[in-house]
Amino acid sequence: MMRTLAISGFLASLVLFAAVEWAARREGSRIPSLGDVCAYVMRYEVGPVPVGRIGVFGFWWWLGWHFLAR
């Protein structure tokens, strides 16, 4: 039961993500695409420290550690 619930949650998240990305790529849309959001985050710096890049790297590390490591 819990496995089915978890899979359903991931599928719902995937569908929602695809719908938002589709809406962002329409002509004249004011919704930023995932690429635009990532570019904005990656440019964030505090002085000479690229905080945005460190945050994105940390997010990918966390994602890989929790979902891909066995």
Side-chain angles (χ1 to χ4, degrees), residues 7 10-12 25 39-40 44 47-48 54 57-58 67 70:
I7 291 172
F10 279 113
L11 287 175
R25 294 184 181 269
Y40 181 79
Y44 186 72
I54 294 169
F57 176 76
F67 294 111
R70 285 223 173 233

Side-chain angles (χ1 to χ4, degrees), residues 29-45:
S29 176
R30 297 184 64 201
I31 301 170
S33 68
L34 178 63
D36 294 336
V37 172
C38 286
Y40 181 79
V41 169
M42 294 282 281
R43 285 193 306 264
Y44 186 72
E45 292 183 351

Side-chain angles (χ1 to χ4, degrees), residues 35-69:
D36 294 336
V37 172
C38 286
Y40 181 79
V41 169
M42 294 282 281
R43 285 193 306 264
Y44 186 72
E45 292 183 351
V46 176
V49 180
V51 177
R53 290 178 188 262
I54 294 169
V56 170
F57 176 76
F59 170 73
W60 280 114
W61 178 81
W62 179 86
L63 193 71
W65 184 264
H66 284 83
F67 294 111
L68 303 175

Side-chain angles (χ1 to χ4, degrees), residues 6-34:
I7 291 172
S8 298
F10 279 113
L11 287 175
S13 298
L14 184 64
V15 168
L16 181 64
F17 169 76
V20 170
E21 189 67 20
W22 174 78
R25 294 184 181 269
R26 289 183 308 155
E27 188 67 34
S29 176
R30 297 184 64 201
I31 301 170
S33 68
L34 178 63

